[in-house]
Amino acid sequence: MSNLLVTGGAGFIGANFIHYWMSTYRQDKVVVLDALTYAGNKANLEPVAENANFYFCQGNICDTHLVETLLKEHRIDTLVHFAAESHVDRSISGPDAFIETNIIGTHSLLKAAKKVWLDDGVNKDNHRFHHVSTDEVYGTLGPEDPAFSETTPYAPNSPYSASKAASDHLVRAYHHTYGLKVTTSNCSNNYGPYHFPEKLIPLVITNILQDKPLPVYGDGQQIRDWLYVEDHARGIDLVIKKGHLGECYNIGGINEWANLDIVKLICELMNSEFAENPELTNKYPKAVSAIAGKAQSLVTFVKDRAGHDRRYAIDPQKSNSELDYQPQESFASGIRKTLQWYLENDSWWQAVMDGSYRQWIDQQYSTAEQAGDR
Ligand code: NAD
Ligand code: DAU
C-alpha cells in the first residue's frame, strides 16, 4: 500500500493518471496538490472525488512549507510531480510563469522532500520522487535523425522546454548530491480525454464543432510522436515500480504524424461521425462544415510558432527492455475514443472555454489579426 502526493493532479495528464492509479491500486491513498491555474480543473477529478482514499488540496508547489506539511500529515512515500506550465505558445508570450512553476516550483518540492524524507527521516528508506518531464528537452530532429534516446544531449529550444530541462537537472542533482530516491520520465505528445483545448488535437476537435478555423502553424509538416494518455500513466507506473533510481526513461508511442495529416484525419473522422449519426446535427447545429462533410474547408494556415521544433520522436528501447513497457492503445482506436469523449462531453469543454482560457485565446487572435497574421 502506498500514499501518493500528486502535484498538478487537476490537469490533463495528472487527472488521467489518478483515474488510472485509483482504479488499479484501490488501497492506495492519493493526495492532490494543485494551484488550479487556468489549466487546472476540479471537474477532471470527478470520477474519483467520492473515493474515501482521495484528498484534494488547492495550493502552490512553490509553498515549500505546505508541501512539507502534506508529506508529513499523509505519510507520503511517493511524490509524482506533474504540476507545470505546459503550453509552448504561452511560454513564448509569457515565460516568467514557466520559470516560477517549472524551475522554482520543482526546486521547492525537492527541498521539501529532502527535509521530510532525508533530514527528518520520515520514510527515509522507502520514498520516491518521480518527475514527469518531456521529450522537448532534447530539442528538434531532422527527418533522418535517429529518435531521442536517454543519452541524446539536452538542447531545449523554447522557454517551456528550457524550464523543463532545468527541472530535470535539479531532480538529478538532488539524487547525486543528497541521495534522494528519484526517477524521471520524458514523454512524447499525449492525447485523450480532459486535454485542454489550447493544444492541437482538442483545439481541432472543438473548433470543428463550432465551425471555427483550424489554425495550422507554418507548413503543417512538423512531426510529433503521439501517445494515448493512459499509456503514459501506465509507463509512469512501471518507472515507479521497476525503474532504477536516478535514471531517466523515455516513453513514446512509435507514432509519428505530421500536424497537417493529424488535422486532416480528425476532419475526416468528424465528417463520418456526422454522416453516420444524424442526432449529432441537432446537438451541434453550429458545425455546418462537418455536417456538410467538409470539415477540411476550415483548415487555415497561420504564421509559424517562433522557434518551432520540426520533429520529435522517441526511441523506446530502454523502457521496452528494462520495464517491459509497450503502449496498449493503437492510434486508430485512441483517436476515435478521444473524439467520442469530446462529442459526449460538450459540457466539459464548453465550461473550460467559457473561462479564462477563452479570454487568452481571444486576445491572441485579436493581436494576430491586427498584425495581419491570421
Ligand atoms: P496541464 O497544463 O494540463 O496541467 C498542469 C496542472 O498543474 C494544472 O492542473 C495546473 O493547475 C497545475 N499547476 C500549474 N502550476 C502550478 C503550481 N505552481 N502549483 C501547483 N499546481 C500547479 O499539463 P499536462 O499536459 O497535464 O502536463 C503535465 C506534466 O506532463 C507537465 O509537467 C508537462 O511538462 C508534462 N508532459 C506533458 C505532455 C503533454 O503532451 N501534455 C507530454 C510530456 C510531458
Ligand atoms: O512533446 C511533448 C510536449 O507536447 C509537452 O511537453 C507539452 O507540454 C505539450 O503541450 C506538447 O507540446 P507541443 O507544442 O508539441 O503541443 P501542441 O499541441 O501545442 O502542438 C502540437 C503541434 O501542433 C506543434 O507542432 C504546434 C502545432 N500547432 C499547435 C496549435 C495549438 C498548430 O499547428 N496549430 C495550433 O493551433
Side-chain angles (χ1 to χ4, degrees):
M1 227 184 80
S2 277
N3 295 336
L4 273 69
L5 177 62
V6 181
T7 71
F12 162 49
I13 307 176
N16 278 285
F17 172 81
I18 289 166
H19 303 164
Y20 162 84
W21 195 276
M22 296 200 84
S23 59
T24 309
Y25 304 105
R26 291 175 184 272
Q27 302 303 314
D28 287 0
K29 183 201 272 192
V30 173
V31 180
V32 169
L33 173 61
D34 197 298
L36 296 181
T37 67
Y38 79 95
N41 187 349
K42 276 182 100 173
N44 298 358
L45 292 165
E46 261 170 17
V48 295
E50 300 302 318
N51 190 314
N53 291 330
F54 175 76
Y55 299 80
F56 184 86
C57 171
Q58 182 172 357
N60 199 309
I61 57 169
C62 296
D63 184 345
T64 315
H65 179 69
L66 171 66
V67 179
E68 283 174 20
T69 306
L70 291 173
L71 289 173
K72 278 190 253 185
E73 273 185 4
H74 292 281
R75 297 202 67 82
I76 299 295
D77 50 60
T78 306
L79 191 161
V80 191
H81 175 33
F82 292 93
E85 288 294 335
S86 68
H87 191 38
V88 174
D89 292 330
R90 286 178 188 256
S91 84
I92 295 166
S93 56
D96 298 65
F98 289 72
I99 306 306
E100 183 69 17
T101 288
N102 300 357
I103 305 178
I104 310 283
T106 300
H107 188 233
S108 160
L109 291 174
L110 288 163
K111 279 193 294 183
K114 173 181 173 291
K115 169 82 172 61
V116 173
W117 285 338
L118 300 182
D119 303 345
D120 297 350
V122 181
N123 283 326
K124 190 173 185 114
D125 298 320
N126 173 34
H127 66 260
R128 176 68 65 88
F129 187 113
H130 181 74
H131 176 53
V132 180
S133 192
T134 171
D135 60 355
E136 297 202 12
V137 296
Y138 300 120
T140 187
L141 294 168
E144 305 303 330
D145 287 341
F148 301 133
S149 79
E150 289 78 357
T151 55
T152 302
Y154 274 33
N157 288 321
S158 71
Y160 163 70
S161 52
S163 67
K164 291 297 290 187
S167 66
D168 293 8
H169 294 322
L170 285 167
V171 171
R172 176 189 162 88
Y174 266 66
H175 173 70
H176 284 271
T177 305
Y178 304 113
L180 198 69
K181 296 177 191 289
V182 309
T183 40
T184 295
S185 48
N186 295 84
C187 190
S188 58
N189 286 61
N190 286 211
Y191 70 99
Y194 303 101
H195 202 180
F196 197 88
E198 65 185 347
K199 309 281 169 64
L200 181 69
I201 287 181
L203 180 78
V204 168
I205 295 173
T206 54
N207 277 12
I208 292 174
L209 295 174
Q210 300 166 96
D211 213 44
K212 291 185 172 172
L214 310 179
V216 174
Y217 297 165
D219 63 3
Q221 295 308 313
Q222 306 83 2
I223 290 172
R224 298 291 182 267
D225 182 354
W226 293 94
L227 183 74
Y228 192 65
V229 62
E230 198 174 295
D231 278 324
H232 187 185
R234 199 172 287 115
I236 293 171
D237 181 5
L238 283 171
V239 177
I240 292 171
K241 296 274 157 60
K242 293 165 79 173
H244 296 291
L245 295 178
E247 296 270 317
C248 300
Y249 293 87
N250 286 355
I251 301 176
I254 317 186
N255 182 38
E256 291 183 54
W257 281 78
N259 293 338
L260 186 58
D261 293 337
I262 291 265
V263 175
K264 285 183 178 165
L265 173 70
I266 296 171
C267 289
E268 280 165 24
L269 292 173
M270 201 63 103
N271 291 339
S272 307
E273 286 293 332
F274 275 86
E276 288 160 20
N277 304 300
E279 70 278 12
L280 283 179
T281 303
N282 295 331
K283 186 170 182 183
Y284 295 108
K286 284 188 192 161
V288 288
S289 302
I291 292 166
K294 292 181 174 163
Q296 286 88 334
S297 64
L298 297 170
V299 170
T300 307
F301 290 92
V302 299
K303 189 181 175 194
D304 208 351
R305 173 185 278 173
H308 199 169
D309 286 338
R310 197 69 183 163
R311 174 178 166 235
Y312 303 146
I314 287 273
D315 173 353
Q317 212 190 328
K318 182 175 174 182
S319 51
N320 284 170
S321 59
E322 284 191 25
L323 311 175
D324 202 19
Y325 174 74
Q326 297 284 351
Q328 289 183 8
E329 193 76 53
S330 73
F331 191 60
S333 63
I335 196 76
R336 276 176 195 279
K337 266 186 173 170
T338 304
L339 206 125
Q340 281 305 329
W341 189 87
Y342 280 87
L343 284 170
E344 286 162 19
N345 289 279
D346 48 311
S347 55
W348 180 88
W349 58 262
Q350 297 278 10
V352 164
M353 297 182 83
D354 286 344
S356 51
Y357 161 68
R358 195 61 265 161
Q359 290 155 18
W360 181 81
I361 200 86
D362 286 348
Q363 197 188 341
Q364 294 295 105
Y365 267 83
S366 65
T367 313
E369 272 159 15
Q370 280 160 21
D373 290 339
R374 298 182 188 212

